[in-house]
Amino acid sequence: GAEIEAVRRALDRAIALRMTGPYQVQGAIASLHAEPETDWRQIALLYARLVALAPSPVVELNAAVAVSMADGPESALRIADGISGLDDYYLWHAARADFLRRLGRDDEASAAYTRALELAPSDVERDFLRGRLTGV
């Protein structure tokens, strides 16, 4: 609605002024997520920019998820497997499990879902992961 339009105008101004820092890129990503049709290719490109501006393992993981939606799970798995520092982060294991499941590597997917389940911080996440695990 009106809030999304205000954000888009602010982003357009920032881009016109060449003020594209991490917050503007994050805003652009959020704006694209608000569209009726998600442009995953554009989101993946924006995440690549965000990784360059504000690198972190979690940003890299988000980039991998966007790549999985734009280009498929194989490229995304390569990106995720190259990220260090997320061994204890349940969403890293959950994302890898999804990529592996989509590639038909069910045994590896089950192991990754199981590890994500062990690390998940709440019942909601654990319930979701249990559902995914039984579907593999």
Side-chain angles (χ1 to χ4, degrees):
E3 290 176 359
I4 291 172
E5 282 308 312
V7 168
R8 286 193 181 130
R9 282 192 304 277
L11 284 169
D12 289 342
R13 281 192 306 273
I15 290 167
L17 295 171
R18 300 195 186 278
M19 297 172 51
T20 52
Y23 296 118
Q24 289 79 18
V25 175
Q26 289 169 338
I29 291 168
S31 176
L32 286 171
H33 277 299
E35 293 291 327
E37 289 261 337
T38 305
D39 185 346
W40 285 107
R41 188 159 308 285
Q42 187 66 33
I43 290 172
L45 290 170
L46 287 168
Y47 266 114
R49 177 77 176 132
L50 189 57
V51 167
L53 289 170
S56 80
V58 172
V59 170
E60 290 178 54
L61 179 60
N62 289 338
V65 171
V67 165
S68 81
M69 300 301 287
D71 297 326
E74 193 168 328
S75 298
L77 184 61
R78 274 196 304 276
I79 293 167
D81 284 348
I83 301 170
S84 59
L86 294 181
D87 288 342
D88 293 329
Y89 187 49
Y90 83 101
L91 290 175
W92 181 72
H93 293 282
R96 285 189 74 256
D98 181 64
F99 306 153
L100 290 162
R101 178 190 57 79
R102 290 167 53 199
L103 288 167
R105 294 165 58 179
D106 293 345
D107 290 343
E108 293 170 272
S110 292
Y113 278 127
T114 299
R115 183 65 179 138
L117 189 57
E118 292 167 357
L119 296 167
S122 76
D123 290 338
V124 172
E125 283 97 349
R126 284 188 288 276
D127 289 344
F128 173 79
L129 292 166
R130 275 190 204 97
R132 286 294 192 151
L133 183 56
T134 59
V136 175

